[in-house]
Amino acid sequence: MTDAPYPYRQLVFSGGGLRCFWHGGFLEAFTETRALRPDRITGSSGGALSAAAWVLGAERRLRDMFADAMAGLDSNVTLDDLGSDDGRSVHQRTYDAILDKLLDASALARIAEGPAFQINVATPGTSRAPTARALLGGTIYQAEQLLSPTPRPRLSTLAGMEQRLIDARQAAQNGTLADLIRMAATVPPAFRPDDWNGETIFDGGMVDKAPMPDPDDGPTLVLLTKRFHALPDDENGRITFVEPGEDILPGRKLDFTDPGLLVEAWDQGRDDGRRWRNKIA
């Protein structure tokens, strides 16, 4: 490994369900010969979990934990899930169990002492009928992604959805980081939403799939888990957007019944990481 780390001061993890295991494979290969030491990190949706695992150096452990959990699943939803107090889908229960194991006291202490780390979420604020607003915002978001795919959705704000960047290090200190990461991936109606500081929290991807840190300063590496027709403008040339070489897990990003999907996403990330490492070297 060379002495000089990559020049990126900021690292952004986009969401994408199981596609987020691409992050782990990419960074493992990308940092094989050169370190990455960002000052600030952000994560959106499943990318919040990817970011936490990367800070901990536990990406492979996280992949194996998910694979073990998914090996025992043969359905993504059942009728019994609709009345469950633990959540309305296999996804939320699996997520909860894995977060509890991954984020023990030692892990929380390491994250609290690590680089600045913010988690992106969406909220309708303190308005009435928050889930209805989130469903409307999600529908608008899906339509926008179908017609004009972009990492920076704009139209969900028409439903009153707002962005929040929450301090993950403070949540780690408070022992609430697992709750925050779970809330950051809450997609209605499959996940039961919860409140954070008096606001109902939902998946941040509907307001920003690639959230820049606050403050936002310096060369930035943005890890996207899907390909887009157009990327946001970068007038200063300081943002490097990395897209997968080809679409990952098309139509199966939320299929928790096949552990092989994790390996598929990881291996593609590894191949893309090697390609980008050679490109930047």
Side-chain angles (χ1 to χ4, degrees), residues 216-275:
D216 175 15
D217 180 44
T220 305
L221 183 65
V222 178
L223 302 181
L224 303 171
T225 63
K226 65 176 290 185
R227 300 180 63 82
F228 293 92
H229 295 312
L231 296 173
D233 293 334
D234 174 25
E235 296 179 358
N236 298 319
R238 67 181 179 85
I239 303 175
T240 300
F241 290 98
V242 176
E243 296 178 294
E246 58 186 48
D247 290 338
I248 310 170
L249 311 182
R252 302 193 69 185
K253 70 173 186 176
L254 294 177
D255 184 357
F256 275 31
T257 66
D258 184 358
L261 298 176
L262 308 181
V263 176
E264 183 179 337
W266 182 283
D267 287 351
Q268 185 170 333
R270 179 198 59 206
D271 293 343
D272 288 334
R274 289 171 178 165
R275 176 169 57 87

Short mmCIF file of all heavy atoms in Angstrom, two decimals, residues 216-275:
data_model
loop_
_atom_site.label_atom_id
_atom_site.label_comp_id
_atom_site.label_asym_id
_atom_site.label_seq_id
_atom_site.Cartn_x
_atom_site.Cartn_y
_atom_site.Cartn_z
N ASP A 216 -20.08 21.08 3.58
CA ASP A 216 -19.71 20.41 2.34
C ASP A 216 -18.49 21.10 1.77
O ASP A 216 -18.57 22.21 1.25
CB ASP A 216 -20.90 20.46 1.38
CG ASP A 216 -20.58 19.88 0.01
OD1 ASP A 216 -19.54 19.20 -0.12
OD2 ASP A 216 -21.36 20.13 -0.93
N ASP A 217 -17.33 20.44 1.86
CA ASP A 217 -16.10 21.09 1.43
C ASP A 217 -15.06 20.04 1.08
O ASP A 217 -14.81 19.11 1.85
CB ASP A 217 -15.57 22.00 2.55
CG ASP A 217 -14.29 22.71 2.16
OD1 ASP A 217 -14.22 23.22 1.03
OD2 ASP A 217 -13.36 22.75 2.99
N GLY A 218 -14.44 20.18 -0.08
CA GLY A 218 -13.33 19.33 -0.45
C GLY A 218 -13.70 18.26 -1.47
O GLY A 218 -14.87 18.02 -1.76
N PRO A 219 -12.68 17.59 -2.01
CA PRO A 219 -12.90 16.52 -2.98
C PRO A 219 -13.78 15.42 -2.39
O PRO A 219 -13.59 15.01 -1.24
CB PRO A 219 -11.49 16.00 -3.27
CG PRO A 219 -10.58 17.12 -2.89
CD PRO A 219 -11.24 17.82 -1.75
N THR A 220 -14.75 14.96 -3.16
CA THR A 220 -15.77 14.04 -2.66
C THR A 220 -15.91 12.83 -3.57
O THR A 220 -15.98 12.96 -4.80
CB THR A 220 -17.13 14.76 -2.56
OG1 THR A 220 -16.97 15.93 -1.75
CG2 THR A 220 -18.18 13.85 -1.95
N LEU A 221 -15.98 11.64 -2.97
CA LEU A 221 -16.23 10.41 -3.69
C LEU A 221 -17.65 9.95 -3.38
O LEU A 221 -17.98 9.71 -2.21
CB LEU A 221 -15.23 9.33 -3.27
CG LEU A 221 -15.31 7.98 -3.99
CD1 LEU A 221 -14.96 8.13 -5.47
CD2 LEU A 221 -14.40 6.95 -3.33
N VAL A 222 -18.49 9.87 -4.40
CA VAL A 222 -19.89 9.47 -4.24
C VAL A 222 -20.08 8.08 -4.83
O VAL A 222 -19.84 7.88 -6.03
CB VAL A 222 -20.84 10.47 -4.92
CG1 VAL A 222 -22.29 10.00 -4.78
CG2 VAL A 222 -20.68 11.86 -4.33
N LEU A 223 -20.50 7.13 -4.01
CA LEU A 223 -20.67 5.75 -4.44
C LEU A 223 -22.15 5.48 -4.71
O LEU A 223 -22.96 5.35 -3.79
CB LEU A 223 -20.15 4.79 -3.36
CG LEU A 223 -18.68 4.97 -2.96
CD1 LEU A 223 -18.29 3.95 -1.92
CD2 LEU A 223 -17.76 4.88 -4.18
N LEU A 224 -22.52 5.40 -5.97
CA LEU A 224 -23.89 5.11 -6.39
C LEU A 224 -24.05 3.63 -6.62
O LEU A 224 -23.10 2.96 -7.06
CB LEU A 224 -24.22 5.88 -7.67
CG LEU A 224 -24.05 7.40 -7.60
CD1 LEU A 224 -24.19 8.02 -9.00
CD2 LEU A 224 -25.06 8.01 -6.64
N THR A 225 -25.22 3.09 -6.37
CA THR A 225 -25.43 1.64 -6.55
C THR A 225 -26.25 1.32 -7.79
O THR A 225 -26.63 0.17 -8.00
CB THR A 225 -26.11 1.02 -5.33
OG1 THR A 225 -27.42 1.60 -5.17
CG2 THR A 225 -25.29 1.24 -4.07
N LYS A 226 -26.53 2.33 -8.60
CA LYS A 226 -27.21 2.10 -9.87
C LYS A 226 -26.72 3.13 -10.88
O LYS A 226 -26.11 4.14 -10.52
CB LYS A 226 -28.73 2.19 -9.72
CG LYS A 226 -29.25 3.56 -9.33
CD LYS A 226 -30.77 3.58 -9.30
CE LYS A 226 -31.37 3.46 -10.69
NZ LYS A 226 -32.85 3.60 -10.68
N ARG A 227 -27.00 2.85 -12.13
CA ARG A 227 -26.59 3.75 -13.19
C ARG A 227 -27.71 4.75 -13.48
O ARG A 227 -28.89 4.41 -13.43
CB ARG A 227 -26.25 2.95 -14.45
CG ARG A 227 -25.10 1.97 -14.23
CD ARG A 227 -24.77 1.20 -15.49
NE ARG A 227 -24.31 2.08 -16.55
CZ ARG A 227 -23.07 2.53 -16.67
NH1 ARG A 227 -22.16 2.18 -15.76
NH2 ARG A 227 -22.72 3.33 -17.66
N PHE A 228 -27.32 5.98 -13.76
CA PHE A 228 -28.28 7.04 -14.04
C PHE A 228 -28.02 7.61 -15.43
O PHE A 228 -26.88 7.61 -15.91
CB PHE A 228 -28.18 8.16 -13.00
CG PHE A 228 -28.60 7.75 -11.62
CD1 PHE A 228 -27.68 7.27 -10.70
CD2 PHE A 228 -29.93 7.84 -11.24
CE1 PHE A 228 -28.07 6.88 -9.43
CE2 PHE A 228 -30.33 7.45 -9.97
CZ PHE A 228 -29.40 6.98 -9.07
N HIS A 229 -29.09 8.11 -16.04
CA HIS A 229 -28.94 8.71 -17.36
C HIS A 229 -28.16 10.02 -17.29
O HIS A 229 -27.44 10.38 -18.21
CB HIS A 229 -30.32 8.98 -17.98
CG HIS A 229 -31.11 7.74 -18.26
ND1 HIS A 229 -30.58 6.65 -18.93
CD2 HIS A 229 -32.39 7.40 -17.97
CE1 HIS A 229 -31.49 5.71 -19.03
NE2 HIS A 229 -32.60 6.13 -18.45
N ALA A 230 -28.32 10.74 -16.19
CA ALA A 230 -27.62 12.01 -16.02
C ALA A 230 -27.24 12.17 -14.56
O ALA A 230 -28.01 11.80 -13.67
CB ALA A 230 -28.49 13.17 -16.48
N LEU A 231 -26.07 12.74 -14.31
CA LEU A 231 -25.60 12.97 -12.96
C LEU A 231 -25.67 14.46 -12.64
O LEU A 231 -25.66 15.30 -13.55
CB LEU A 231 -24.16 12.48 -12.80
CG LEU A 231 -23.97 10.97 -12.97
CD1 LEU A 231 -22.49 10.61 -12.96
CD2 LEU A 231 -24.70 10.21 -11.87
N PRO A 232 -25.75 14.82 -11.35
CA PRO A 232 -25.83 16.24 -10.98
C PRO A 232 -24.62 17.02 -11.49
O PRO A 232 -23.52 16.47 -11.64
CB PRO A 232 -25.85 16.20 -9.46
CG PRO A 232 -26.36 14.84 -9.12
CD PRO A 232 -25.83 13.93 -10.19
N ASP A 233 -24.84 18.30 -11.76
CA ASP A 233 -23.74 19.16 -12.20
C ASP A 233 -22.72 19.32 -11.08
O ASP A 233 -23.06 19.35 -9.90
CB ASP A 233 -24.27 20.54 -12.59
CG ASP A 233 -25.14 20.49 -13.84
OD1 ASP A 233 -24.94 19.57 -14.65
OD2 ASP A 233 -26.01 21.36 -14.00
N ASP A 234 -21.47 19.42 -11.47
CA ASP A 234 -20.38 19.64 -10.51
C ASP A 234 -19.50 20.74 -11.08
O ASP A 234 -18.51 20.47 -11.76
CB ASP A 234 -19.59 18.34 -10.30
CG ASP A 234 -18.36 18.54 -9.42
OD1 ASP A 234 -18.38 19.49 -8.61
OD2 ASP A 234 -17.40 17.77 -9.56
N GLU A 235 -19.90 21.98 -10.83
CA GLU A 235 -19.24 23.11 -11.45
C GLU A 235 -17.77 23.23 -11.07
O GLU A 235 -16.95 23.70 -11.87
CB GLU A 235 -19.98 24.40 -11.07
CG GLU A 235 -21.41 24.46 -11.58
CD GLU A 235 -22.11 25.73 -11.16
OE1 GLU A 235 -21.48 26.54 -10.44
OE2 GLU A 235 -23.28 25.92 -11.55
N ASN A 236 -17.42 22.81 -9.88
CA ASN A 236 -16.04 22.97 -9.42
C ASN A 236 -15.16 21.76 -9.69
O ASN A 236 -13.97 21.78 -9.37
CB ASN A 236 -16.04 23.28 -7.91
CG ASN A 236 -16.76 24.57 -7.59
OD1 ASN A 236 -16.62 25.56 -8.30
ND2 ASN A 236 -17.55 24.57 -6.51
N GLY A 237 -15.74 20.70 -10.24
CA GLY A 237 -14.96 19.52 -10.57
C GLY A 237 -14.37 18.81 -9.37
O GLY A 237 -13.33 18.16 -9.47
N ARG A 238 -15.05 18.89 -8.22
CA ARG A 238 -14.50 18.28 -7.01
C ARG A 238 -15.22 16.98 -6.63
O ARG A 238 -14.84 16.35 -5.65
CB ARG A 238 -14.55 19.26 -5.84
CG ARG A 238 -15.94 19.63 -5.37
CD ARG A 238 -15.90 20.63 -4.23
NE ARG A 238 -17.22 21.01 -3.77
CZ ARG A 238 -17.93 20.33 -2.87
NH1 ARG A 238 -17.42 19.25 -2.32
NH2 ARG A 238 -19.13 20.73 -2.52
N ILE A 239 -16.26 16.61 -7.36
CA ILE A 239 -17.04 15.42 -7.01
C ILE A 239 -16.79 14.32 -8.03
O ILE A 239 -16.91 14.52 -9.24
CB ILE A 239 -18.54 15.74 -6.94
CG1 ILE A 239 -18.81 16.86 -5.94
CG2 ILE A 239 -19.34 14.50 -6.56
CD1 ILE A 239 -20.26 17.31 -5.89
N THR A 240 -16.45 13.16 -7.53
CA THR A 240 -16.28 11.97 -8.38
C THR A 240 -17.46 11.04 -8.14
O THR A 240 -17.61 10.49 -7.05
CB THR A 240 -14.97 11.24 -8.06
OG1 THR A 240 -13.87 12.12 -8.28
CG2 THR A 240 -14.82 10.01 -8.94
N PHE A 241 -18.33 10.92 -9.14
CA PHE A 241 -19.45 10.00 -9.05
C PHE A 241 -19.03 8.65 -9.61
O PHE A 241 -18.58 8.55 -10.75
CB PHE A 241 -20.65 10.52 -9.85
CG PHE A 241 -21.32 11.73 -9.26
CD1 PHE A 241 -21.01 13.00 -9.72
CD2 PHE A 241 -22.25 11.59 -8.24
CE1 PHE A 241 -21.63 14.12 -9.19
CE2 PHE A 241 -22.87 12.70 -7.69
CZ PHE A 241 -22.56 13.97 -8.17
N VAL A 242 -19.17 7.61 -8.81
CA VAL A 242 -18.83 6.26 -9.24
C VAL A 242 -20.12 5.47 -9.42
O VAL A 242 -20.91 5.33 -8.47
CB VAL A 242 -17.92 5.55 -8.21
CG1 VAL A 242 -17.66 4.11 -8.64
CG2 VAL A 242 -16.60 6.30 -8.07
N GLU A 243 -20.34 4.95 -10.61
CA GLU A 243 -21.50 4.10 -10.89
C GLU A 243 -21.04 2.67 -11.14
O GLU A 243 -19.92 2.45 -11.60
CB GLU A 243 -22.23 4.60 -12.13
CG GLU A 243 -22.84 5.98 -12.01
CD GLU A 243 -23.51 6.39 -13.30
OE1 GLU A 243 -22.78 6.56 -14.31
OE2 GLU A 243 -24.74 6.54 -13.31
N PRO A 244 -21.88 1.68 -10.86
CA PRO A 244 -21.53 0.30 -11.20
C PRO A 244 -21.32 0.16 -12.70
O PRO A 244 -21.91 0.90 -13.51
CB PRO A 244 -22.76 -0.50 -10.75
CG PRO A 244 -23.45 0.39 -9.76
CD PRO A 244 -23.18 1.79 -10.20
N GLY A 245 -20.48 -0.78 -13.08
CA GLY A 245 -20.22 -1.00 -14.49
C GLY A 245 -21.45 -1.47 -15.24
O GLY A 245 -21.59 -1.24 -16.44
N GLU A 246 -22.35 -2.14 -14.54
CA GLU A 246 -23.62 -2.57 -15.11
C GLU A 246 -24.66 -2.63 -14.00
O GLU A 246 -24.32 -2.57 -12.82
CB GLU A 246 -23.49 -3.94 -15.79
CG GLU A 246 -23.00 -5.03 -14.86
CD GLU A 246 -22.74 -6.34 -15.60
OE1 GLU A 246 -22.07 -6.31 -16.65
OE2 GLU A 246 -23.22 -7.38 -15.10
N ASP A 247 -25.94 -2.72 -14.38
CA ASP A 247 -26.99 -2.73 -13.37
C ASP A 247 -26.81 -3.89 -12.40
O ASP A 247 -26.48 -5.02 -12.79
CB ASP A 247 -28.36 -2.83 -14.03
CG ASP A 247 -28.74 -1.56 -14.77
OD1 ASP A 247 -28.18 -0.50 -14.43
OD2 ASP A 247 -29.59 -1.62 -15.67
N ILE A 248 -27.04 -3.61 -11.10
CA ILE A 248 -26.89 -4.61 -10.05
C ILE A 248 -28.26 -5.12 -9.63
O ILE A 248 -29.17 -4.34 -9.37
CB ILE A 248 -26.20 -4.02 -8.81
CG1 ILE A 248 -24.92 -3.28 -9.18
CG2 ILE A 248 -25.89 -5.11 -7.78
CD1 ILE A 248 -24.33 -2.49 -8.03
N LEU A 249 -28.43 -6.42 -9.58
CA LEU A 249 -29.63 -7.06 -9.06
C LEU A 249 -30.92 -6.43 -9.60
O LEU A 249 -31.79 -6.02 -8.82
CB LEU A 249 -29.66 -7.02 -7.52
CG LEU A 249 -28.40 -7.45 -6.78
CD1 LEU A 249 -28.65 -7.38 -5.27
CD2 LEU A 249 -27.97 -8.85 -7.19
N PRO A 250 -31.07 -6.31 -10.91
CA PRO A 250 -32.27 -5.66 -11.44
C PRO A 250 -33.55 -6.33 -10.94
O PRO A 250 -33.73 -7.55 -11.08
CB PRO A 250 -32.12 -5.81 -12.96
CG PRO A 250 -31.09 -6.88 -13.16
CD PRO A 250 -30.20 -6.83 -11.97
N GLY A 251 -34.41 -5.53 -10.31
CA GLY A 251 -35.69 -6.02 -9.81
C GLY A 251 -35.62 -6.85 -8.55
O GLY A 251 -36.66 -7.34 -8.08
N ARG A 252 -34.45 -7.00 -7.93
CA ARG A 252 -34.34 -7.89 -6.78
C ARG A 252 -33.63 -7.25 -5.58
O ARG A 252 -33.15 -7.94 -4.69
CB ARG A 252 -33.61 -9.18 -7.17
CG ARG A 252 -34.27 -9.96 -8.29
CD ARG A 252 -33.70 -11.34 -8.43
NE ARG A 252 -34.05 -12.19 -7.30
CZ ARG A 252 -33.58 -13.44 -7.14
NH1 ARG A 252 -32.74 -13.95 -8.02
NH2 ARG A 252 -33.94 -14.15 -6.09
N LYS A 253 -33.59 -5.94 -5.54
CA LYS A 253 -32.82 -5.28 -4.48
C LYS A 253 -33.43 -5.50 -3.10
O LYS A 253 -32.75 -5.27 -2.09
CB LYS A 253 -32.69 -3.79 -4.77
CG LYS A 253 -33.98 -2.99 -4.63
CD LYS A 253 -33.70 -1.51 -4.77
CE LYS A 253 -34.95 -0.68 -4.48
NZ LYS A 253 -34.67 0.78 -4.52
N LEU A 254 -34.71 -5.91 -3.02
CA LEU A 254 -35.35 -6.16 -1.73
C LEU A 254 -35.76 -7.62 -1.56
O LEU A 254 -36.62 -7.93 -0.74
CB LEU A 254 -36.58 -5.25 -1.57
CG LEU A 254 -36.29 -3.75 -1.49
CD1 LEU A 254 -37.58 -2.96 -1.40
CD2 LEU A 254 -35.38 -3.43 -0.31
N ASP A 255 -35.14 -8.52 -2.30
CA ASP A 255 -35.44 -9.94 -2.19
C ASP A 255 -34.53 -10.57 -1.14
O ASP A 255 -33.36 -10.83 -1.37
CB ASP A 255 -35.23 -10.62 -3.54
CG ASP A 255 -35.61 -12.09 -3.52
OD1 ASP A 255 -35.98 -12.60 -2.44
OD2 ASP A 255 -35.53 -12.74 -4.58
N PHE A 256 -35.10 -10.82 0.06
CA PHE A 256 -34.32 -11.36 1.18
C PHE A 256 -34.34 -12.88 1.22
O PHE A 256 -33.97 -13.48 2.23
CB PHE A 256 -34.87 -10.81 2.50
CG PHE A 256 -34.32 -9.46 2.89
CD1 PHE A 256 -33.96 -8.54 1.93
CD2 PHE A 256 -34.16 -9.11 4.22
CE1 PHE A 256 -33.46 -7.29 2.28
CE2 PHE A 256 -33.66 -7.87 4.59
CZ PHE A 256 -33.31 -6.96 3.61
N THR A 257 -34.71 -13.53 0.14
CA THR A 257 -34.80 -15.00 0.13
C THR A 257 -33.63 -15.67 -0.56
O THR A 257 -33.56 -16.89 -0.57
CB THR A 257 -36.10 -15.45 -0.55
OG1 THR A 257 -36.06 -15.08 -1.95
CG2 THR A 257 -37.32 -14.81 0.10
N ASP A 258 -32.70 -14.91 -1.10
CA ASP A 258 -31.60 -15.49 -1.87
C ASP A 258 -30.27 -14.89 -1.43
O ASP A 258 -29.88 -13.81 -1.90
CB ASP A 258 -31.82 -15.25 -3.36
CG ASP A 258 -30.75 -15.91 -4.23
OD1 ASP A 258 -29.82 -16.53 -3.67
OD2 ASP A 258 -30.85 -15.80 -5.47
N PRO A 259 -29.51 -15.56 -0.55
CA PRO A 259 -28.22 -15.02 -0.09
C PRO A 259 -27.22 -14.84 -1.22
O PRO A 259 -26.27 -14.05 -1.09
CB PRO A 259 -27.74 -16.09 0.91
CG PRO A 259 -28.97 -16.82 1.33
CD PRO A 259 -29.87 -16.82 0.13
N GLY A 260 -27.42 -15.54 -2.32
CA GLY A 260 -26.51 -15.41 -3.44
C GLY A 260 -26.49 -14.02 -4.03
O GLY A 260 -25.51 -13.61 -4.66
N LEU A 261 -27.57 -13.26 -3.80
CA LEU A 261 -27.62 -11.89 -4.31
C LEU A 261 -26.57 -11.01 -3.66
O LEU A 261 -26.02 -10.10 -4.28
CB LEU A 261 -29.01 -11.30 -4.07
CG LEU A 261 -30.19 -11.99 -4.77
CD1 LEU A 261 -31.50 -11.34 -4.35
CD2 LEU A 261 -30.02 -11.95 -6.27
N LEU A 262 -26.25 -11.29 -2.39
CA LEU A 262 -25.23 -10.51 -1.68
C LEU A 262 -23.87 -10.70 -2.33
O LEU A 262 -23.11 -9.74 -2.53
CB LEU A 262 -25.17 -10.93 -0.22
CG LEU A 262 -26.47 -10.94 0.57
CD1 LEU A 262 -26.20 -11.36 2.01
CD2 LEU A 262 -27.15 -9.59 0.53
N VAL A 263 -23.56 -11.94 -2.65
CA VAL A 263 -22.27 -12.24 -3.28
C VAL A 263 -22.21 -11.62 -4.66
O VAL A 263 -21.17 -11.08 -5.08
CB VAL A 263 -22.07 -13.77 -3.36
CG1 VAL A 263 -20.78 -14.10 -4.10
CG2 VAL A 263 -22.07 -14.38 -1.97
N GLU A 264 -23.33 -11.67 -5.39
CA GLU A 264 -23.37 -11.08 -6.72
C GLU A 264 -23.08 -9.58 -6.68
O GLU A 264 -22.28 -9.06 -7.46
CB GLU A 264 -24.74 -11.34 -7.35
CG GLU A 264 -24.88 -10.84 -8.77
CD GLU A 264 -26.25 -11.16 -9.36
OE1 GLU A 264 -26.90 -12.10 -8.88
OE2 GLU A 264 -26.66 -10.44 -10.30
N ALA A 265 -23.73 -8.88 -5.74
CA ALA A 265 -23.51 -7.44 -5.62
C ALA A 265 -22.08 -7.15 -5.16
O ALA A 265 -21.42 -6.23 -5.67
CB ALA A 265 -24.52 -6.84 -4.64
N TRP A 266 -21.60 -7.91 -4.19
CA TRP A 266 -20.25 -7.72 -3.66
C TRP A 266 -19.20 -7.94 -4.75
O TRP A 266 -18.29 -7.12 -4.92
CB TRP A 266 -20.01 -8.69 -2.50
CG TRP A 266 -18.67 -8.54 -1.85
CD1 TRP A 266 -17.47 -8.98 -2.31
CD2 TRP A 266 -18.40 -7.89 -0.60
NE1 TRP A 266 -16.45 -8.66 -1.43
CE2 TRP A 266 -17.00 -7.99 -0.37
CE3 TRP A 266 -19.20 -7.24 0.34
CZ2 TRP A 266 -16.40 -7.46 0.76
CZ3 TRP A 266 -18.59 -6.72 1.48
CH2 TRP A 266 -17.21 -6.83 1.68
N ASP A 267 -19.34 -9.02 -5.50
CA ASP A 267 -18.35 -9.35 -6.53
C ASP A 267 -18.32 -8.29 -7.64
O ASP A 267 -17.25 -7.96 -8.16
CB ASP A 267 -18.64 -10.73 -7.13
CG ASP A 267 -18.30 -11.87 -6.17
OD1 ASP A 267 -17.68 -11.59 -5.13
OD2 ASP A 267 -18.66 -13.02 -6.47
N GLN A 268 -19.49 -7.77 -8.00
CA GLN A 268 -19.49 -6.71 -9.00
C GLN A 268 -18.81 -5.46 -8.45
O GLN A 268 -18.09 -4.78 -9.17
CB GLN A 268 -20.91 -6.39 -9.45
CG GLN A 268 -20.93 -5.37 -10.60
CD GLN A 268 -22.29 -5.20 -11.22
OE1 GLN A 268 -23.11 -6.12 -11.20
NE2 GLN A 268 -22.55 -4.03 -11.78
N GLY A 269 -19.06 -5.16 -7.16
CA GLY A 269 -18.38 -4.04 -6.54
C GLY A 269 -16.87 -4.22 -6.54
O GLY A 269 -16.12 -3.27 -6.81
N ARG A 270 -16.44 -5.42 -6.26
CA ARG A 270 -14.99 -5.70 -6.26
C ARG A 270 -14.40 -5.47 -7.64
O ARG A 270 -13.34 -4.85 -7.78
CB ARG A 270 -14.77 -7.15 -5.83
CG ARG A 270 -13.32 -7.60 -5.80
CD ARG A 270 -13.27 -9.12 -5.79
NE ARG A 270 -13.93 -9.66 -6.98
CZ ARG A 270 -14.48 -10.87 -7.05
NH1 ARG A 270 -14.49 -11.66 -6.00
NH2 ARG A 270 -15.05 -11.28 -8.18
N ASP A 271 -15.09 -5.94 -8.69
CA ASP A 271 -14.59 -5.75 -10.05
C ASP A 271 -14.56 -4.27 -10.42
O ASP A 271 -13.60 -3.79 -11.02
CB ASP A 271 -15.46 -6.52 -11.04
CG ASP A 271 -15.37 -8.03 -10.87
OD1 ASP A 271 -14.39 -8.49 -10.22
OD2 ASP A 271 -16.25 -8.74 -11.37
N ASP A 272 -15.61 -3.54 -10.03
CA ASP A 272 -15.64 -2.10 -10.32
C ASP A 272 -14.58 -1.36 -9.52
O ASP A 272 -13.98 -0.38 -10.00
CB ASP A 272 -17.02 -1.54 -10.00
CG ASP A 272 -18.08 -1.98 -10.99
OD1 ASP A 272 -17.73 -2.29 -12.15
OD2 ASP A 272 -19.27 -2.03 -10.61
N GLY A 273 -14.33 -1.81 -8.27
CA GLY A 273 -13.30 -1.18 -7.45
C GLY A 273 -11.92 -1.32 -8.06
O GLY A 273 -11.13 -0.37 -8.05
N ARG A 274 -11.65 -2.49 -8.59
CA ARG A 274 -10.35 -2.69 -9.25
C ARG A 274 -10.23 -1.81 -10.49
O ARG A 274 -9.17 -1.23 -10.75
CB ARG A 274 -10.21 -4.16 -9.64
CG ARG A 274 -10.00 -5.10 -8.46
CD ARG A 274 -10.07 -6.54 -8.90
NE ARG A 274 -9.82 -7.45 -7.78
CZ ARG A 274 -10.10 -8.74 -7.81
NH1 ARG A 274 -10.64 -9.30 -8.90
NH2 ARG A 274 -9.84 -9.50 -6.76
N ARG A 275 -11.33 -1.70 -11.24
CA ARG A 275 -11.30 -0.87 -12.45
C ARG A 275 -11.04 0.60 -12.11
O ARG A 275 -10.22 1.26 -12.75
CB ARG A 275 -12.64 -1.03 -13.19
CG ARG A 275 -12.80 -0.17 -14.40
CD ARG A 275 -14.04 -0.60 -15.21
NE ARG A 275 -15.24 -0.56 -14.39
CZ ARG A 275 -16.00 0.51 -14.23
NH1 ARG A 275 -15.64 1.67 -14.78
NH2 ARG A 275 -17.10 0.47 -13.50
#
